[in-house]
Amino acid sequence: MPWDSLQALPVYLSLPGGGIYLVTPGEQVRSIFKSSRNLVPTPSLVGALMMFFGLPEEDVAVISHDRISQYEARTNTATNHADPTRRLMEHQQRDFKTFLHGASLQRIMSRFITNLKLEIYTANTIGGEWTSFPDLYQLLAAWIFRAQVDALYGKSLSRLYPVLFEDFRAYYNAFPTLSSGRAPKWVFPAAYRAQEKMLENLMAWKAWCQGSMDLRSPDLQDLDYDPIWGSQYIRRMVQRYEDLGFSERGIAAAMLSYMFVTMANTLPATLWMILHILLNGDLAARLKTEIPTAFPNTCSTPTLSILSSLPLLNSVYRETLRLHIASPVGRTSSNPGFRLGGRWQIDTGVPMMSSNWLGGLSQTFWNTGYLLPSGTPEYPVETFWAERFLKYPDEVISGPIRQPEWSMYETRGRSSQKTVEDDRNAKLVTEELNGYWFPFGGGASKCPGEALASCTVLTSVAILITTLRIELAAPSEAAKTQSRQRTLLFGSHAFDRLVPVRVRTRI
């Protein structure tokens, strides 16, 4: 059923254990974002920490107004919200803005790039000659994961646990089972063992760090990065949960939640970008011309503001998120008189849910190119189009949003093949997409880690395609790749098959 046909009103779906409102893309999703300060995220922070990340029941009582107020009195901070979880989330958001933006983010990405290049050049099998690998995803995701872990958590975590990536991937693969909410441990022991292994890793890491360097040491207070404890953001997060009174297992659960939301999006998104680039003709060559402009004076670290505005690279990035990021949006109202958008009566306590996927599949909103003689569009919403988010000065129908005059799209042949010169004159369109493109959510509960995630993906792609030559061993088979966990409404998803490649460094 086309999602565009469900625009009239929120659809109530009766499900086992309770119902939900399916909020359709466009006006209804925008209304949720506008009202989000008066709504509670769904699932709740407590529910998510318990179900997905193993928070012990005894730690639930810690997330209370009294505990948070005591913490704020000691740290000279303040929040004000009727829901204590929103107060805790506000502290997290403040730390994101302080330590994962601006100059702090630039330093994190500088460490990340150094680490990623070290992963590439210390891989004994990668050199000037072609080397075959059974799976693109496994090869590159492991490098990116370790580089990011070292940049954020310090050098100790990956050195203590050399197979941390494998442990995390086992946990990631178990997530659909854990997130179902109806998965008893005795029925799915492997899924809970994977969760337990990650919690054990993080608890043991924290104990080792504390034994090596006191987290409260004055020497750490203003230090941007410590090889033992890592970045300021990680140190502040651990301190906050200690000060609130979380158990060691509770702190590990909070840390696992942060690692998951960071890695579970950036790793698959980066690999999908790479795969689409490899599958699309001269796209890699065009990007290799565009990307160096973000590296001033052959500097090894890009200027993030320039990298985040390169038209073609960011169009490919946004198109990848449109196709492959589920990004559920869930909100619940406790106000008996709440009307979504001032129009639709919503029952108290019934979740309102939508997903970035639904917005990305709107055939009436997204530009799909000219109509071909067969009557089908050039670039259906289910397919990848590298230039979908670009506006070209001499092409009336370019840009992501479908024009109201549908006659403009009648058959005139295919769109012209784009060149490097076209890319220089293109404009990246990011406005007026709210309600249809929301991979990081929106409103007061929008993901505060968007800057870190975006820079990690863009930087990873920039480094990988300019440092390595990668060729698909079987392009026609690689083109059939789909999301392996499409039914999982969280994050972006890994490939559903192995993608063999051959790789060499650029000479």
Side-chain angles (χ1 to χ4, degrees):
M1 175 174 53
W3 295 111
D4 295 325
S5 65
L6 298 177
Q7 291 293 328
L9 71 167
V11 178
Y12 181 81
L13 302 177
S14 181
L15 302 173
I20 65 168
Y21 289 104
L22 177 62
V23 177
T24 53
E27 181 184 0
Q28 293 174 22
V29 170
R30 288 193 295 271
S31 296
I32 278 187
F33 294 157
K34 291 177 181 177
S35 307
S36 58
R37 292 191 180 277
N38 301 312
L39 303 173
V40 177
T42 305
S44 69
L45 177 64
V46 173
L49 285 172
M50 292 183 68
M51 184 188 304
F52 308 150
F53 307 111
L55 182 76
E57 287 190 18
E58 56 266 29
D59 283 314
V60 173
V62 174
I63 307 176
S64 66
H65 285 299
D66 285 345
R67 287 290 187 94
I68 295 173
S69 294
Q70 292 170 14
Y71 165 75
E72 291 177 348
R74 292 194 301 270
T75 58
N76 195 30
T77 57
T79 56
N80 181 23
H81 199 281
D83 183 347
T85 65
R86 289 292 297 273
R87 296 178 66 187
L88 182 57
M89 290 169 64
E90 187 171 330
H91 283 287
Q92 294 173 335
Q93 290 170 342
R94 289 176 182 176
D95 283 354
F96 267 95
K97 291 177 181 178
T98 302
F99 301 116
L100 298 178
H101 281 79
S104 295
L105 179 58
Q106 184 79 50
R107 290 191 292 270
I108 289 173
M109 296 316 301
S110 179
R111 293 194 298 271
F112 172 73
I113 290 172
T114 299
N115 297 340
L116 182 56
K117 288 185 175 181
L118 189 64
E119 290 285 338
I120 295 171
Y121 289 116
T122 57
N124 295 330
T125 52
I126 303 291
E129 301 296 327
W130 288 108
T131 303
S132 296
F133 294 90
D135 186 27
L136 172 71
Y137 193 98
Q138 177 72 16
L139 175 68
L140 301 188
W143 290 347
I144 297 167
F145 178 88
R146 289 192 291 262
Q148 186 74 303
V149 165
D150 285 2
L152 290 170
Y153 295 83
K155 299 290 185 181
S156 56
L157 183 54
S158 57
R159 289 179 180 175
L160 287 169
Y161 305 102
V163 295
L164 185 66
F165 172 70
E166 287 73 16
D167 290 344
F168 178 82
R169 192 169 189 187
Y171 170 70
Y172 175 87
N173 291 336
F175 204 79
T177 300
L178 298 171
S179 65
S180 69
R182 299 182 297 277
K185 293 184 178 181
W186 63 271
V187 176
F188 301 102
Y192 286 96
R193 279 199 302 270
Q195 181 190 71
E196 184 66 24
K197 186 64 169 67
M198 286 301 300
L199 291 172
E200 290 174 355
N201 289 344
L202 291 168
M203 284 189 287
W205 169 79
K206 180 176 178 292
W208 182 90
C209 290
Q210 187 61 29
S212 303
M213 167 72 79
D214 183 1
L215 182 59
R216 312 286 170 157
S217 169
D219 294 337
L220 286 179
Q221 295 313 302
D222 297 318
L223 195 64
D224 177 63
Y225 178 78
D226 175 64
I228 296 174
W229 280 104
S231 64
Q232 284 183 293
Y233 178 82
I234 296 298
R235 302 199 305 270
R236 178 67 68 88
M237 176 172 60
V238 174
Q239 287 179 342
R240 178 170 59 250
Y241 287 109
E242 281 186 345
D243 291 345
L244 284 167
F246 276 70
S247 67
E248 291 299 308
R249 187 181 181 85
I251 295 172
M255 293 184 66
L256 180 57
S257 72
Y258 169 73
M259 180 179 287
F260 181 82
V261 298
T262 304
M263 300 296 185
N265 279 326
T266 55
L267 293 179
T270 302
L271 270 296
W272 277 112
M273 269 189 80
I274 294 289
L275 181 59
H276 284 304
I277 290 168
L278 296 176
L279 287 169
N280 280 266
D282 67 343
L283 184 55
R286 291 162 58 196
L287 286 168
K288 282 189 290 239
T289 299
E290 181 183 66
I291 288 170
T293 61
F295 290 77
N297 303 319
T298 66
C299 179
S300 61
T301 302
T303 301
L304 297 182
S305 58
I306 298 177
L307 190 72
S308 300
S309 61
L310 295 178
L312 182 59
L313 178 66
N314 283 273
S315 181
V316 172
Y317 168 68
R318 289 171 176 273
E319 177 72 345
T320 300
L321 299 195
R322 185 190 68 83
L323 275 176
H324 298 292
I325 291 281
S327 185
V329 170
R331 303 287 190 274
T332 302
S333 172
S334 57
N335 180 0
F338 178 74
R339 288 182 175 272
L340 181 63
R343 298 169 54 190
W344 300 288
Q345 179 69 47
I346 300 296
D347 290 343
T348 303
V350 178
M352 297 169 281
M353 304 293 297
S354 192
S355 170
N356 182 65
W357 270 344
L358 303 186
L361 294 175
S362 174
Q363 298 178 25
T364 58
F365 178 79
W366 294 102
N367 179 11
T368 54
Y370 289 117
L371 282 177
L372 301 176
S374 62
T376 59
E378 279 186 286
Y379 302 101
V381 291
E382 300 87 0
T383 62
F384 177 84
W385 181 13
E387 297 88 3
R388 198 182 301 267
F389 286 79
L390 297 182
K391 183 73 175 176
Y392 293 93
D394 298 326
E395 287 197 23
V396 179
I397 73 159
S398 62
I401 303 173
R402 174 177 284 276
Q403 302 296 324
E405 298 83 10
W406 283 42
S407 61
M408 297 169 57
Y409 298 93
E410 292 177 355
T411 305
R412 302 179 188 177
R414 284 188 171 274
S415 302
S416 61
Q417 181 67 36
K418 298 301 181 288
T419 66
V420 170
E421 188 62 33
D422 293 325
D423 298 333
R424 292 193 184 102
N425 296 321
K427 177 184 178 183
L428 180 69
V429 179
T430 61
E431 303 297 327
E432 300 182 9
L433 304 178
N434 192 22
Y436 291 95
W437 190 87
F438 46 96
F440 298 97
S445 298
K446 185 176 182 179
C447 176
E450 179 179 359
L452 175 64
S454 299
C455 288
T456 301
V457 174
L458 294 172
T459 301
S460 298
V461 171
I463 295 299
L464 290 169
I465 70 170
T466 56
T467 303
L468 299 174
R469 290 188 64 184
I470 306 173
E471 291 186 356
L472 298 169
S476 59
E477 287 300 309
K480 299 176 184 177
T481 305
Q482 300 292 325
S483 294
R484 180 164 52 85
Q485 296 165 318
R486 185 77 179 185
T487 56
L488 176 61
L489 295 179
F490 295 87
S492 52
H493 304 154
F495 302 165
D496 66 349
R497 67 193 69 204
L498 299 180
V499 178
V501 292
R502 61 179 196 153
V503 182
R504 59 177 286 185
T505 54
R506 292 193 175 276
I507 300 174

